[in-house]
Amino acid sequence: MQHWYTELAQSGRRASGQARDDAQALQQAIAARPELRALARLPLLLTVMALVHTNKGTLPDARALLYAECIEILLLRWRQQRGERDLLTRLALPQFRSSDLLALMARLGFAAHELAERSRDAAGRPADLSESAVVQVLAEGFAPHDPARKHALAELVLNTLTQGNGLLLKRGPAVYAFPHRTFQEFLAGYHLLRQPNTLRLCLERSAQAHWHEALLLMAGYQMLAGGEFDKPLSLVEKLLERTPDEQVLAGDLLTLMGRERVAGYDPALLDSGGLWR
């Protein structure tokens, strides 16, 4: 990351003193947060974190917001060739927006995380997806927009993702996976929060330990990006009625919200008979 900021200084995009301070600040941020150290082991993701830090002046203080920033960069801006039209333009779907592209990737993350449930080999790492499965999921996402071209559009997105985009990596002949397990988990959670029956879908998965991180990322994004507290609190209430592991998840969700945010939303939640206790 020192080389990143040295290059910014040498190209005139940062004063040398500021570049040195920024590199040190990023190093300190990564050293202080275990989840960032895990990502920083991969050169691509360390570069993306440096890019987020360069653009924002800091890294988001919540994991869900950081992963959202990283995915936006990888999906929409990473390694676009000079003079090449961006992916949204090449899709030629007038009503298709960047938010639709993120939702499409969320479908893929959800499919991968569902597969991880059934794959012993996927424990602790992103699940492998066959090329046919990737194309099928992407084509289903394009079907409402252009059913006649859905498979061609799916192939276009897959080719873009695997030719230097970085959000989906080719791990073998016709086998793909996300670059880090957490991207899969974030996207799976993002897919859940966009569904009309989010609470039911979450409760169907909350007893499965490998879904807990995805649900925490989902709730973190709901609260910090969308200012939504009702739905995460409803999930907490239901989880407290279930198994001990799910009750622990409820506590983790409340800890993620933080006492101050809970008090600001509804002070009664902190009363002796309130949800916080």
Side-chain angles (χ1 to χ4, degrees):
M1 72 189 84
Q2 185 65 53
H3 293 308
W4 172 272
Y5 283 103
T6 298
E7 171 62 25
L8 289 181
Q10 291 177 347
S11 63
R13 287 174 287 174
R14 275 286 197 284
S16 58
Q18 183 64 53
R20 184 173 57 253
D21 292 345
D22 287 345
Q24 184 177 8
L26 180 57
Q27 287 174 330
Q28 291 173 345
I30 292 172
R33 295 168 61 180
E35 76 277 9
L36 299 189
R37 293 200 298 272
L39 292 181
R41 295 190 186 104
L42 300 174
L44 169 65
L45 301 185
L46 177 58
T47 302
V48 172
M49 281 194 285
L51 187 55
V52 171
H53 189 265
T54 300
N55 290 338
K56 302 286 185 178
T58 185
L59 292 177
D61 60 0
R63 293 176 305 137
L65 299 183
L66 173 64
Y67 300 137
E69 292 270 5
C70 289
I71 288 170
E72 179 187 358
I73 288 172
L74 289 172
L75 194 54
L76 298 176
R77 289 184 276 165
W78 184 251
R79 289 184 179 173
Q80 183 176 322
Q81 299 297 319
R82 185 180 298 275
E84 183 181 78
R85 296 179 302 162
D86 63 32
L87 177 56
L88 287 175
T89 303
R90 283 183 284 147
L91 289 173
L93 295 171
Q95 303 304 317
F96 198 83
R97 301 287 185 263
S98 59
S99 58
D100 297 308
L101 192 55
L102 176 57
L104 189 67
M105 294 309 302
R107 291 173 66 100
L108 200 56
F110 179 79
H113 210 54
E114 289 276 83
L115 181 63
E117 174 189 347
R118 302 187 294 273
S119 174
R120 295 179 182 178
D121 295 336
R125 66 175 181 81
D128 289 336
L129 289 166
S130 68
E131 182 171 323
S132 60
V134 173
V135 171
Q136 179 181 345
V137 170
L138 295 178
E140 288 172 355
F142 280 120
H145 301 277
D146 191 338
R149 291 197 301 142
K150 64 180 184 180
H151 285 98
L153 294 171
E155 294 282 358
L156 172 60
V157 170
L158 177 58
N159 290 337
T160 301
L161 290 172
T162 56
Q163 291 177 1
N165 173 283
L167 189 53
L168 198 67
L169 304 179
K170 191 167 186 177
R171 296 206 183 276
V175 177
Y176 301 87
F178 289 96
H180 194 273
R181 169 85 169 203
T182 313
F183 285 94
Q184 173 183 302
E185 291 167 331
F186 173 83
L187 288 166
Y190 185 85
H191 178 80
L192 286 177
L193 71 83
R194 290 176 51 86
Q195 306 310 304
N197 51 353
T198 297
L199 180 59
R200 177 176 65 79
L201 292 173
C202 290
L203 292 173
E204 288 175 355
R205 291 161 176 79
S206 58
Q208 304 169 39
H210 89 285
W211 271 99
H212 286 194
E213 188 65 20
L215 296 179
L216 284 166
L217 289 167
M218 179 200 75
Y221 189 81
Q222 276 181 309
M223 291 181 292
L224 300 173
E228 173 66 70
F229 284 83
D230 280 346
K231 292 177 181 177
L233 286 169
S234 295
L235 177 57
V236 167
E237 288 179 327
K238 294 294 186 183
L239 291 173
L240 288 173
E241 301 170 356
R242 295 164 74 102
T243 68
D245 283 346
E246 289 168 289
Q247 292 168 5
V248 170
L249 175 59
D252 289 340
L253 287 166
L254 286 174
T255 302
L256 180 64
M257 294 181 198
R259 185 183 180 91
E260 292 79 8
R261 290 194 189 95
V262 171
Y265 176 74
D266 183 358
L269 293 170
L270 300 181
D271 291 347
S272 59
L275 191 60
W276 182 266
R277 185 170 298 278

